[in-house]
Amino acid sequence: MIMPAGRPLLLPANPRFIAFTVVLGLLLNMLLGLTGWHFLPDVLAIVVVFWNVYQPRRVGLVLAFLLGLALDVHESALLGQNALSYVVLSSIALAVQRRLLWFPLREQALQIVPLFVVAALVEWVTRLIVQDAWPHWSQLFAPFMQAALWPLVGALLLAPQRRAFDPDNIRPL
């Protein structure tokens, strides 16, 4: 992967690590959904967008759709509501993927905010149309919390892929 000058090169991500983080994000999202607090961030959306940006060939729209369906079943929501939101989120992430890679994680967080806001709006509009229920005002904070978590989650997910600047035979990495 070609990175801008001054940034470390990244090894390709292990597919097992990607699957582990996606399953962990799904489980964490399901646990946070049980609390009933609407302002909590969508951890699975952060993980899906991250892997769509950093490994677009391994994580794509089909996986985002299937994860959204799994979340719909768990939340007993309208089947396809979260799936539609995740597909829209993933398609926008894939569209801006090349531009995002030129920025450090903190600056990426500012550019990720509109993606999470659009995904939340898609979910709110489908909920409003089908269930005729106005979304909670506390849900307005979730996209901003997701963007605030972006640098932390990004640093955790990129850590196993970092290469040493001076590789030698003594260090294991």
Side-chain angles (χ1 to χ4, degrees):
M1 169 181 268
I2 299 173
M3 296 299 286
R7 306 254 317 263
L9 292 176
L10 298 175
L11 295 168
N14 187 350
R16 291 181 185 166
F17 179 69
I18 294 173
F20 172 73
T21 57
V22 168
V23 169
L24 188 66
L26 178 65
L27 292 175
L28 189 59
N29 205 26
M30 288 179 174
L31 285 174
L32 290 176
L34 293 176
T35 62
W37 296 337
H38 300 287
F39 63 88
L40 292 175
D42 189 356
V43 179
L44 183 60
I46 299 170
V47 172
V48 168
V49 169
F50 178 84
W51 288 123
N52 273 318
V53 169
Y54 282 90
Q55 297 291 324
R57 292 186 180 178
R58 298 197 189 258
V59 178
L61 298 177
V62 174
L63 183 63
F65 180 75
L66 294 174
L67 290 169
L69 285 179
L71 209 57
D72 286 332
V73 169
H74 172 72
E75 292 178 354
S76 298
L78 175 69
L79 195 61
Q81 174 181 338
N82 286 316
L84 175 65
S85 174
Y86 281 9
V87 167
V88 168
L89 182 66
S90 294
S91 63
I92 296 173
L94 288 171
V96 298
Q97 177 257 345
R98 305 226 18 178
R99 184 183 61 162
L100 281 175
L101 290 176
W102 283 94
F103 294 101
L105 286 172
R106 282 189 219 147
E107 293 176 16
Q108 286 178 8
L110 295 174
Q111 297 182 17
I112 290 293
V113 171
L115 276 73
F116 291 132
V117 169
V118 166
L121 285 175
V122 166
E123 190 175 334
W124 295 341
V125 167
T126 55
R127 186 174 294 149
L128 185 65
I129 290 172
V130 175
Q131 296 176 353
D132 197 28
W134 191 256
H136 298 277
W137 289 106
S138 61
Q139 289 176 336
L140 294 174
F141 298 117
F144 297 104
M145 288 182 66
Q146 291 168 346
L149 285 174
W150 179 263
L152 175 67
V153 172
L156 289 174
L157 295 178
L158 283 177
Q161 302 169 44
R162 299 249 185 239
R163 273 192 192 167
F165 289 109
D166 301 337
D168 56 16
N169 295 333
I170 299 172
R171 289 184 281 186
L173 295 178

